[in-house]
Amino acid sequence: MKLRTSQKVHYESGPNMTPLVDVVMVLLIFLMMAGKFTGQERYLVSNLPLRQTGAGGATPPPGGFPKDEPLEVEVTSPVPDRFVARVGQYRAESAAELQQILKQLQAQLIDAGKQQEDLQVVIAPDRAVKYKFLIDVYTAAQLAGFQKVGFSTSR
Amino acid sequence: MKRRGLPQVHSSHPNVTPLIDIVMCLVIFFMLVAKIGVTTGADPTIEVPVSSLSRALQIDSLSNTIVLNVREKKPLDEPLVTAIVDGSSAQAQEIRVVDPSTGKRPLLEVLRRLRFGNDSKPGGTGVNGDNDEFRVIIRGDKEMGYRFLEPVLVACAEANVNKVIYQTKSRSELVEDNSK
């Protein structure tokens, strides 16, 4: 009797992908674990004021040094968790107040015929003022519209 | 006439081709995006201040940039400045503002060399050429007093570094930190 053989079977041929998948998975996990995926870091970019005196000796800009003396913001810290900023006769105890004062002063200076690009702010902090307050003052000056802001040596 | 059909296909495993396609795409993506072995020398333990004005900045060329970590050196009343200089080390090394034993100013020397080339003087070409695009990123501890930052700024000014950038956090990052 003739035995009925099983139907002819076609097996899928091709390379064995298992080792490839293993290696690729290991690579994937390594890259996911080892990579640094923190977002972009953030910075306060500065345009430093230009003065004819002091350290540095930078090459003067094409238009020369601004004629006007920069606005000086004195910063003190009577208690460790507060700061007081003084600009001339004005006094501010928060960054928002300081920003308003600087905006007013800037408007007055521009009304008096000064050029926006000549206006500079120099922050003159006390030695004990915390860095975070200086960044607040710096931010307030930039938010008020001053493009050139820098620090002077402590008093 | 009896039509002959396609041969029966028996596959003992699922089709992994789509999986490999996707995984390969992921591998290529992570290879391009991940910064492995690239470090600016930023000290992650330093708590930088918050600013609403800070903006994202891509550090595309580390050859033009030095990140100075500045904090209080306890118990001494002097700044502790660390940085990676010339990529000579994978970890940030201390650079003293003033070396009391010799009276030299290592930080100023490093900044001058990076700003003006190996001769540390304005002018020159090649390895002695000036780097006008050189910038200093200050990563300062938010709780330190200005007296620790001031000597670093003075050194930057004396080295004629025109671009001093302050690393900060945005408000949204602060909220995320507090929620952890």
Side-chain angles (χ1 to χ4, degrees):
Chain A
M1 183 182 148
K2 191 178 178 184
L3 283 171
R4 194 178 172 195
T5 55
S6 60
Q7 206 176 353
K8 193 176 180 183
V9 174
H10 172 80
Y11 286 99
E12 195 177 34
S13 60
N16 183 6
M17 302 303 269
T18 312
L20 174 70
V21 174
D22 288 349
V23 171
V24 166
M25 281 294 186
V26 168
L27 272 177
L28 182 63
I29 292 165
F30 168 75
L31 289 169
M32 286 173 74
M33 302 293 282
K36 291 175 189 170
F37 301 107
T38 50
Q40 278 184 312
E41 288 163 331
R42 306 192 82 81
Y43 303 93
L44 270 179
V45 181
S46 68
N47 288 312
L48 296 180
L50 287 160
R51 286 174 127 169
Q52 281 180 313
T53 56
T59 314
F65 288 101
K67 291 170 195 162
D68 305 306
E69 277 298 302
L71 278 177
E72 191 166 282
V73 182
E74 291 179 13
V75 188
T76 54
S77 201
V79 287
D81 283 333
R82 273 180 49 209
F83 74 90
V84 175
R86 288 187 182 81
V87 194
Q89 59 184 2
Y90 300 99
R91 183 176 190 274
E93 293 194 14
S94 70
E97 276 181 61
L98 179 64
Q99 189 185 331
Q100 287 303 317
I101 291 168
L102 289 173
K103 265 187 182 169
Q104 283 175 20
L105 289 172
Q106 190 189 43
Q108 288 171 12
L109 288 168
I110 289 172
D111 286 346
K114 309 287 184 193
Q115 296 295 316
Q116 168 95 30
E117 58 270 19
D118 286 348
L119 301 178
Q120 307 184 99
V121 167
V122 168
I123 302 167
D126 190 74
R127 286 168 55 81
V129 180
K130 288 183 178 175
Y131 179 51
K132 62 181 178 184
F133 296 137
L134 299 179
I135 291 295
D136 285 346
V137 171
Y138 193 98
T139 304
Q142 287 207 327
L143 284 173
F146 289 93
Q147 292 160 7
K148 293 172 186 166
V149 185
F151 294 100
S152 76
T153 49
S154 57
R155 290 165 294 115
Chain B
M1 184 183 145
K2 194 178 176 185
R3 297 187 77 182
R4 196 177 173 192
L6 287 169
Q8 195 177 352
V9 174
H10 287 269
S11 183
S12 60
H13 52 79
N15 184 9
V16 291
T17 312
L19 173 72
I20 292 172
D21 288 347
I22 291 168
V23 168
M24 280 295 189
C25 286
L26 283 172
V27 167
I28 292 166
F29 168 76
F30 282 119
M31 285 173 76
L32 292 174
V33 172
K35 293 173 187 168
I36 297 171
V38 178
T39 177
T40 58
D43 182 349
T45 61
I46 288 180
E47 189 75 17
V48 295
V50 176
S51 170
S52 55
L53 202 65
S54 58
R55 64 176 196 231
L57 190 72
Q58 189 69 40
I59 302 176
D60 44 5
S61 171
L62 289 176
S63 62
N64 285 336
T65 308
I66 186 170
V67 177
L68 297 178
N69 304 296
V70 187
R71 65 192 335 170
E72 182 182 351
K73 189 176 189 177
K74 291 174 182 171
L76 304 171
D77 195 37
E78 62 180 64
L80 172 63
V81 182
T82 58
I84 291 179
V85 182
D86 302 333
S88 53
S89 164
Q91 280 200 328
Q93 306 289 317
E94 182 180 356
I95 308 172
R96 302 197 74 159
V97 177
V98 179
D99 189 342
S101 58
T102 60
K104 286 187 175 178
R105 300 173 67 190
L107 178 62
L108 177 60
E109 287 170 14
V110 165
L111 293 176
R112 274 206 178 128
R113 183 161 51 80
L114 294 172
R115 174 70 179 83
F116 294 123
N118 286 352
D119 62 349
S120 301
K121 290 174 188 168
T125 54
V127 291
N128 296 330
D130 297 355
N131 186 354
D132 295 330
E133 295 302 312
F134 177 63
R135 61 187 176 182
V136 171
I137 292 176
I138 292 181
R139 188 178 163 85
D141 182 7
K142 68 177 184 179
E143 296 295 332
M144 71 176 174
Y146 181 60
R147 64 184 179 280
F148 302 111
L149 178 67
E150 187 188 12
V152 178
L153 294 180
V154 169
C156 290
E158 287 184 87
N160 210 344
V161 177
N162 302 322
K163 293 173 185 172
V164 179
I165 297 169
Y166 305 95
Q167 189 164 8
T168 56
K169 261 185 190 176
S170 67
R171 299 266 174 213
S172 58
E173 286 173 284
L174 183 70
V175 171
E176 282 169 20
D177 283 358
N178 290 340
S179 63
K180 282 177 188 170

